[in-house]
Amino acid sequence: MNRTRFVAAVGLVYLVGCSAQRGVDNGTAQNKDDQLSLDPQTGIPYASVYQYPIQGFNASDLGFGFGSMNDLMCMARNTDGECISYGYHLAHDTQVGKTPYGTVVMAPADGIVRITTDITFQGYGSTSSKNASYYGCVIVLEHEYPNGKPFTTLLGHVQCESGSAYDPTARTGNPAKNAIVRRGQYVGHIGHYWYGSSQATDWHHLHWGNRKGSFAPSAYTRSGLRPWVRGYAARSEFSQDPQTGKLIHPDWVDPVETVATLGDPAQTPDVGIRHHPPGSMLGDGNGSYWLVTGESQIAPLTSAVIATDRYDISLAANVTAAELECYAHAAAVSALGAVTPYQRPGTHAVVMAYDLTHERYDVIRQEALSSWGYSNHDLTSDASKIQTREQTYAAHGYRQLRPGSLIKANEQTEVAIVTPWQTRRAIATGETFEQLGYDWSRVVSIPQDVLDAVAGNRESQVVSYASIFDCALPAPCPSDGTCGGGDDPEDYSDGGDDSGDAGTLPAEAGQTTQEICNGLDDDGNGQIDEIFQCKLGATNGPTCVSSCGTAGQRVCEAPNCAWGACKPLAENCGNTIDDDCNGLIDCADPACLGQASCQAVSDAGAAADAQDSQGNLTVKVHFSYSGPATSGSIILNAWWQPPNAEPRVWAQVAPCTDTVPGDGLLACDFTVPSGTAPLEFQVNLPDGRFWGDESCYPTGGCGATIGSLSVSGPGGPFTVKLVPNNSSNQPYYNGHIDKIL
């Protein structure tokens, strides 16, 4: 596989549908090996490559981001002078304090100058002590994408040097309006930007924006140029990606995404990676390893766990101490323990049995077995081991690829990484893949129609070029505030629109304050935490696998209302699973002490099945199942909620014995208290399948249950509903009866 881009970058749908590049070389290249190409109809240069506008800087040096809210930037005030709408950034800033006054600014792509420093704009100057009216200079360049669609680049907070002769070699002055400049050509210097009443804080930075569409001012005045020099917009102008939570503007895009789409690695400075996607393994070169277990969390991998769980440390990406500081550090990864892999007798199914937790998983494909460090040579032939594990280990569906695996479909070029919660996240570009330190030879290729089964559902969120440089725990600002630029944080006379026109914007309807992550409707619009990825305290986030391989949950956490690390569920005292990952199962777990369900539960001889302790009458339920004939006994598992009593624990229904094993039939009678609501059950087949598996895996019913059944009794037959069981992301169902009369 070559280094072609194989996923459109997030936010740059504008680039889709590229036509053949047009244009000719006009011979004006300055110290460039590539030729200048102009649209023959418009004369606008094509931006065949787009790079960072400051030499030696890169994405790891960027600060205040696109779509970030600046609580020092007020867009509108009420009659009492209180801010009711804050500004959201329409650009990316370089880090304040790291962009000295006088730093050279370059054209990020071939373009034509549309706005130069012969005009100033309110909001792009220094604070009041340096510049009483806050006026400063910007440069705007117009380009065309290779598909012919136009866009502009805004370079703000630059020195006003139009009075000096422009010399790109000597790096003096600024280019004139309508002049053509080449990628990497000098166009200006960073201007003064001191912050605070004492002017003691260095806030020099470059405000770098991209706006879609062609440049067509009504007049070359501050008012006429207003649409192309905006620095902030009201929150109401943005929409929000429901999966990533990122804000999307109809006119402005993050320029780093443009670099991701058009950037040339040979022309882009070396970058410092700050973020690897969840599932990745990291190593510091000194023998220490970590797993990325969440969007902003890593967990240490001990040498013992690496050995027992067969982690391939050759796959670890080398990281620096600075990168490790960008993550919250969780407790060490727990061992899954020794595994006994075997082939189920009489079938082609391979099983991974975990001896620590007494759990077993059917392996969906050979690639999944390999990803966990095993091969066919590891399969045991010990019949007694196989029999013990088949009979006593709880079945938990299928084992998919190990998190961190790189996967693609045979028919496609898109490569994705498997996350800890068993989904797959696409990697946006070949450049992104290689910057992350991944090896093309490690990519597993399988048929498209089994991709979801092996690697999980595809997320809408992708690993973009910009995202790998974002530190999840960024360094604090050099002063109070959010380090935002664009308009001066102490001045609101222009309404925050960077236009130079005085006045305030109308208040947004219903808003009283800015929404923050606190589980409350702060802005009074009837929605809670709506500008964030999730609502504080919510637990219905992406499904995930806990540290010991059980189903887990993610909680929406402050301060950013984002899904936290995968946490084990509380112990369910009747499902034969170590839900809370403490090594103890059901009634052996201290969490289950005092539970009535853990006090010698047994169907055989239990008075509850004849008459409950509250004196309720019992009802005889007749159960009948017909399915595929396979060697072995069919088992009926169930739980139910009697009236005025503790629930009956999920376990085998003892009176329902398979009298003729192997015929695919099960018919039996058992009693439950009258008024039981609900009753839920599952039919486990002797070959490891189960009645409620409607998945399209090789062993599932692919849209239908495996076999048919009926449940009858007084007031019956009963209506049996299908409800999801504890498995994640797949159509696995239990039978559910609302009430036994």
Coordinates of all heavy atoms in Angstrom, one line a residue, residues 515-544:
E515 N -23.2 28.1 28.2 CA -23.4 26.7 28.7 C -22.0 26.1 29.1 O -21.0 26.3 28.5 CB -23.9 25.8 27.5 CG -24.4 24.5 28.0 CD -25.7 24.5 28.7 OE1 -26.3 25.5 28.7 OE2 -26.1 23.4 29.2
I516 N -22.0 25.5 30.3 CA -20.8 24.9 30.8 C -21.2 23.5 31.2 O -22.3 23.1 31.3 CB -20.2 25.6 32.1 CG1 -21.2 25.7 33.2 CG2 -19.8 27.0 31.7 CD1 -20.7 26.2 34.5
C517 N -20.1 22.6 31.4 CA -20.3 21.2 31.7 C -20.7 21.0 33.2 O -19.8 20.9 34.0 CB -19.1 20.4 31.3 SG -19.1 18.7 31.8
N518 N -22.0 21.1 33.5 CA -22.4 20.9 34.9 C -23.7 20.2 35.1 O -24.3 20.2 36.2 CB -22.4 22.3 35.6 CG -23.4 23.2 34.9 OD1 -24.1 22.9 33.9 ND2 -23.5 24.4 35.4
G519 N -24.3 19.7 34.0 CA -25.6 19.0 34.1 C -26.8 19.9 34.2 O -27.9 19.5 34.5
L520 N -26.6 21.2 33.9 CA -27.6 22.2 34.0 C -27.8 22.9 32.7 O -26.9 22.9 31.9 CB -27.3 23.2 35.1 CG -27.1 22.7 36.5 CD1 -26.6 23.8 37.5 CD2 -28.3 22.0 37.1
D521 N -29.0 23.5 32.5 CA -29.3 24.3 31.4 C -28.9 25.8 31.6 O -29.7 26.6 32.0 CB -30.8 24.3 31.1 CG -31.2 25.1 29.8 OD1 -30.3 25.4 29.1 OD2 -32.4 25.4 29.7
D522 N -27.6 26.0 31.5 CA -27.0 27.4 31.8 C -27.5 28.5 30.9 O -27.7 29.6 31.4 CB -25.5 27.3 31.8 CG -24.9 26.2 32.7 OD1 -24.9 26.4 33.9 OD2 -24.5 25.2 32.2
D523 N -27.7 28.2 29.6 CA -28.0 29.3 28.7 C -29.5 29.4 28.5 O -30.0 30.2 27.7 CB -27.3 29.1 27.3 CG -27.6 27.7 26.7 OD1 -28.5 27.0 27.2 OD2 -26.9 27.4 25.7
G524 N -30.3 28.6 29.2 CA -31.8 28.7 29.2 C -32.5 28.4 27.9 O -33.6 28.9 27.6
N525 N -31.8 27.5 27.1 CA -32.5 27.2 25.8 C -33.2 25.9 25.8 O -33.6 25.3 24.8 CB -31.4 27.2 24.7 CG -30.4 26.1 24.8 OD1 -30.4 25.4 25.9 ND2 -29.6 25.9 23.8
G526 N -33.4 25.3 27.0 CA -34.1 24.1 27.1 C -33.3 22.8 26.9 O -33.8 21.7 27.0
Q527 N -32.0 23.0 26.7 CA -31.1 21.8 26.5 C -30.0 21.9 27.5 O -29.6 22.9 28.0 CB -30.5 21.8 25.1 CG -31.5 21.8 24.0 CD -30.9 21.9 22.6 OE1 -30.2 20.9 22.2 NE2 -31.1 22.9 21.9
I528 N -29.5 20.7 27.9 CA -28.5 20.6 28.9 C -27.2 20.1 28.3 O -27.2 19.0 27.6 CB -29.0 19.6 30.0 CG1 -30.2 20.2 30.8 CG2 -27.9 19.3 31.1 CD1 -30.8 19.3 31.8
D529 N -26.1 20.8 28.5 CA -24.8 20.4 28.1 C -24.8 20.1 26.6 O -24.0 19.3 26.1 CB -24.3 19.2 28.8 CG -24.1 19.4 30.3 OD1 -23.9 20.6 30.7 OD2 -24.1 18.4 31.1
E530 N -25.6 20.8 25.8 CA -25.8 20.5 24.4 C -24.6 20.8 23.5 O -24.5 20.3 22.4 CB -27.0 21.2 23.8 CG -26.9 22.7 23.6 CD -27.1 23.5 24.8 OE1 -27.3 22.9 25.9 OE2 -27.1 24.8 24.7
I531 N -23.7 21.7 24.0 CA -22.5 22.0 23.2 C -21.4 21.0 23.3 O -20.4 21.2 22.7 CB -22.0 23.4 23.5 CG1 -21.4 23.5 24.9 CG2 -23.1 24.5 23.3 CD1 -20.7 24.9 25.1
F532 N -21.6 20.0 24.2 CA -20.6 19.1 24.5 C -20.9 17.7 23.9 O -21.9 17.5 23.3 CB -20.4 18.9 26.0 CG -20.0 20.2 26.7 CD1 -21.0 21.0 27.4 CD2 -18.7 20.7 26.7 CE1 -20.7 22.2 28.0 CE2 -18.4 21.9 27.3 CZ -19.4 22.6 28.0
Q533 N -19.9 16.8 24.0 CA -20.1 15.5 23.5 C -21.2 14.7 24.2 O -21.9 13.9 23.6 CB -18.8 14.7 23.6 CG -18.8 13.3 23.0 CD -17.4 12.7 23.0 OE1 -16.5 13.3 23.5 NE2 -17.3 11.4 22.6
C534 N -21.4 14.9 25.5 CA -22.4 14.2 26.2 C -22.8 15.0 27.4 O -22.3 16.0 27.7 CB -21.8 12.8 26.7 SG -20.2 13.0 27.6
K535 N -23.9 14.5 28.1 CA -24.4 15.2 29.3 C -23.7 14.7 30.5 O -23.6 13.5 30.7 CB -25.9 14.9 29.3 CG -26.6 15.6 30.5 CD -28.1 15.3 30.5 CE -28.8 15.8 31.7 NZ -30.3 15.5 31.7
L536 N -23.3 15.6 31.4 CA -22.6 15.2 32.6 C -23.3 14.1 33.4 O -24.5 14.3 33.7 CB -22.4 16.5 33.5 CG -21.5 16.2 34.7 CD1 -20.1 15.9 34.4 CD2 -21.5 17.5 35.6
G537 N -22.5 13.1 33.7 CA -23.1 12.0 34.5 C -23.8 10.9 33.7 O -24.1 9.9 34.3
A538 N -24.0 11.1 32.4 CA -24.6 10.1 31.6 C -23.8 8.8 31.5 O -22.5 8.9 31.6 CB -24.9 10.6 30.2
T539 N -24.4 7.7 31.4 CA -23.7 6.4 31.4 C -24.0 5.6 30.1 O -23.6 4.5 29.9 CB -24.0 5.5 32.6 OG1 -25.4 5.3 32.6 CG2 -23.6 6.2 33.9
N540 N -24.7 6.2 29.2 CA -25.1 5.5 28.0 C -24.2 5.8 26.8 O -24.6 6.1 25.7 CB -26.6 5.9 27.6 CG -26.7 7.4 27.4 OD1 -26.0 8.2 27.9 ND2 -27.7 7.8 26.6
G541 N -22.9 5.9 27.1 CA -21.9 6.2 26.1 C -21.5 5.0 25.2 O -22.2 4.0 25.3
P542 N -20.4 5.1 24.5 CA -20.0 4.0 23.6 C -19.7 2.8 24.5 O -19.1 2.8 25.5 CB -18.7 4.6 23.0 CG -18.8 6.1 23.1 CD -19.6 6.3 24.3
T543 N -20.2 1.6 24.0 CA -19.9 0.4 24.7 C -18.4 0.1 24.7 O -17.7 0.6 23.8 CB -20.7 -0.8 24.0 OG1 -20.3 -0.8 22.6 CG2 -22.2 -0.6 24.1
C544 N -18.0 -0.6 25.7 CA -16.6 -0.8 25.8 C -16.3 -2.1 26.6 O -17.2 -2.7 27.2 CB -15.9 0.4 26.6 SG -16.5 0.7 28.2

